[in-house]
């Protein structure tokens, strides 16, 4: 059993408390490789922001779980070397079983998500409660989920959002003992969050997605005052990145995300954690495509992964400074 505190990591309790009081949100960025981890740490140190490093089960399979854990440990040392000791959480994203959560807890994660949102309510409660009971013995924080996002989660559940029912949240939080709750208010995973039919078009023909359901968020806030809320599927799908990808041979069609002003508004509410993965993928892909297309003789991976890392760092800094407001909160 590895204790995350010995690795220099923190759980999410204190940073969520401060985020709630200070009306900002902590960035939760996914990572699968060294360049992503470097970009995250550089951006967060340069802006003095706390950060949640997220590992999905796909990331564990891709990169090897042991390597990822040591990379997160390395992130703590790397931040110090860059000159600022920021709070770093190592978090399991979308844990789908008790065993996976237990594995991560034993490996040194400081926080886990148990995503029982696809199960019937009572099963979600029971699974989440079991993970919380285990995790809390080691002072590890747990995120649960109520409601189903469209997008990646589609293949398990419905085609459309199943919005969180505010009537369920108080009972869920009380019965499970979770530390934070992910809710569904219209965000969605991936780069194609909405079909063109779900959107309207502005005068320039740009797709405008349907607004987030702030009414549901406000109802949730009333039922569980002061409780930290999490937004998944919160990439904005910057259209300049989509255009660069398509200019240099990509084929992203109708890619559309959550407008930044809506996320900014969410960050000032009970939303204490905002998950961003797809925007980072777009930034890296745009940079790699541009280098490979404009410098066809280049074959040193550092020559395209380096620019990809730089673009990613700038994207993360933008999110922290202009969307989440977590700068200078470390
Ligand atoms: O919510 C999903 C995250 O973006 C992780 O994606 O499962 O492809 O690593 P992944
Ligand atoms: P995006 O696909 O919108 O970046 O969401 C990421 C996420 O929710 C990770 O859990
Ligand atoms: Zn997610």
């Amino acid at each position: 059993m590895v204790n995350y505190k010995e690795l220099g990591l923190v759980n999410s309790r204190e940073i969520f408390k401060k985020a709630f009081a200070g009306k900002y949100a902590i960035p939760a960025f996914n990572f699968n490789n060294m360049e992503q981890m470097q970009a995250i740490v550089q951006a967060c140190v340069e802006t003095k922001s706390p950060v949640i490093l997220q590992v999905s089960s796909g990331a564990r399979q891709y990169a090897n779980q042991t390597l990822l854990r040591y990379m997160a440990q390395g992130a703590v040392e790397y931040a110090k070397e860059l000159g600022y000791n920021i709070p770093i959480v190592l978090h399991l994203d979308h844990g789908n079983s008790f065993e996976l959560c237990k594995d991560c807890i034993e490996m040194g994660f400081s926080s886990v998500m148990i995503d029982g949102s696809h199960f019937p309510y009572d099963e979600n409660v029971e699974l989440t409660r079991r993970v919380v009971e285990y995790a809390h013995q080691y002072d590890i924080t747990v995120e649960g989920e109520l409601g189903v996002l469209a997008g990646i989660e589609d293949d398990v559940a419905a085609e459309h959002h199943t919005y969180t029912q505010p009537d369920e949240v108080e009972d869920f939080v009380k019965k499970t003992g979770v530390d934070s709750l992910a809710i569904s208010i219209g965000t969605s995973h991936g780069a194609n969050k909405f079909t063109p039919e779900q959107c309207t078009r502005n005068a320039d023909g740009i797709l405008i997605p349907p607004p987030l359901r702030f009414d549901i968020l406000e109802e949730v806030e009333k039922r569980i005052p002061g409780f930290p809320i999490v937004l998944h599927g919160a990439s904005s799908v910057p259209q300049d990145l989509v255009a660069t990808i398509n200019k240099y041979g990509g084929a992203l069609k109708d890619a559309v995300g959550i407008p930044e002003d809506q996320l900014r508004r969410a960050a000032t509410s009970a939303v204490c954690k905002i998950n961003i993965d797809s925007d980072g993928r777009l930034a890296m892909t745009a940079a790699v495509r541009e280098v490979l297309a404009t410098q066809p003789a280049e074959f040193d991976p550092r020559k395209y992964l380096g620019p990809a890392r730089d673009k990613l760092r700038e994207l993360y800094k933008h999110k922290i400074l202009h969307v989440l407001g977590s700068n200078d909160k470390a």
Side-chain angles (χ1 to χ4, degrees):
M1 173 89 196
V2 183
N3 184 329
Y4 71 87
K5 292 175 187 170
E6 285 163 19
L7 308 182
L9 299 164
V10 299
N11 68 24
S12 63
R13 198 167 291 122
E14 282 309 307
I15 59 171
F16 282 174
K17 220 181 267 175
K18 288 184 185 160
F20 193 98
K23 296 190 180 302
Y24 59 92
I26 310 286
F29 297 136
N30 290 68
F31 83 108
N32 301 261
N33 62 38
M34 184 188 72
E35 282 78 9
Q36 289 172 322
M37 193 277 271
Q38 288 172 316
I40 295 169
V41 176
Q42 289 168 5
C44 293
V45 166
E46 285 174 29
T47 54
K48 297 191 169 67
S49 170
V51 68
I52 298 172
L53 291 173
Q54 294 203 136
V55 173
S56 67
S57 41
R60 274 167 56 101
Q61 278 158 25
Y62 173 77
N64 179 278
Q65 54 184 34
T66 310
L67 277 177
L68 287 179
R69 199 274 276 168
Y70 279 100
M71 253 196 253
Q73 190 177 347
V76 174
E77 299 309 316
Y78 182 47
K80 284 187 214 159
E81 199 180 301
L82 292 177
Y84 209 77
N85 194 5
I86 54 172
I88 299 179
V89 176
L90 178 59
H91 177 77
L92 169 67
D93 192 24
H94 293 285
N96 60 1
S97 69
F98 173 82
E99 289 70 27
L100 175 57
C101 292
K102 182 168 179 280
D103 248 30
C104 288
I105 288 167
E106 288 173 356
M107 280 210 95
F109 280 57
S110 58
S111 178
V112 292
M113 175 190 193
I114 178 68
D115 182 357
S117 60
H118 302 288
F119 295 123
Y121 180 77
D122 289 339
E123 274 177 56
N124 187 2
V125 167
E126 182 45 29
L127 175 62
T128 308
R129 190 201 57 75
R130 206 171 148 222
V131 171
V132 169
E133 187 178 74
Y134 185 76
H136 280 185
Q137 294 177 79
Y138 306 102
D139 200 21
I140 282 151
T141 40
V142 180
E143 174 184 325
E145 180 164 343
L146 268 181
V148 180
L149 274 67
I152 282 175
E153 291 177 310
D154 271 354
D155 47 27
V156 196
E159 235 175 72
H160 303 290
H161 311 281
T162 304
Y163 295 116
T164 303
Q165 290 176 243
D167 281 345
E168 289 181 345
V169 296
E170 193 182 351
D171 184 68
F172 186 82
V173 165
K174 207 184 287 169
K175 283 189 177 146
T176 59
V178 275
D179 302 283
S180 60
L181 183 67
I183 62 169
S184 172
I185 57 165
T187 60
S188 162
H189 290 103
N192 290 78
K193 299 189 186 299
F194 306 98
T195 63
E197 295 71 42
Q198 292 170 311
C199 300
T200 50
R201 282 187 196 271
N202 70 8
D204 302 321
I206 306 288
L207 289 173
I208 310 294
L212 294 182
R213 292 288 306 270
F214 282 100
D215 57 319
I216 298 178
L217 174 59
E218 280 159 21
E219 278 305 312
V220 168
E221 287 178 298
K222 277 187 209 153
R223 313 292 165 103
I224 44 174
F227 196 80
I229 300 299
V230 176
L231 278 193
H232 282 248
S235 278
S236 295
V237 188
Q239 293 301 303
D240 58 323
L241 296 177
V242 174
T244 303
I245 290 171
N246 288 340
K247 178 178 173 188
Y248 293 112
L252 292 180
K253 202 172 172 305
D254 299 327
V256 61
I258 312 295
E260 288 188 344
D261 58 337
Q262 293 186 39
L263 295 168
R264 182 80 212 101
R265 177 174 166 192
T268 62
S269 74
V271 171
C272 293
K273 171 177 181 268
I274 292 192
N275 286 12
I276 297 167
D277 187 2
S278 298
D279 283 355
R281 297 177 182 194
L282 292 169
M284 286 193 92
T285 301
V288 169
R289 277 196 178 276
E290 183 165 359
V291 172
L292 294 181
T294 56
Q295 301 168 52
E298 195 53 73
F299 67 98
D300 178 346
R302 293 171 298 187
K303 296 287 167 39
Y304 48 86
L305 293 178
R309 182 175 60 195
D310 292 345
K311 204 158 180 86
L312 199 49
R313 182 186 63 233
E314 292 317 306
L315 174 100
Y316 290 145
K317 283 173 71 173
H318 171 80
K319 298 284 178 188
I320 290 165
L321 293 167
H322 303 293
V323 184
L324 309 177
S326 61
N327 50 299
D328 300 313
K329 306 295 193 304

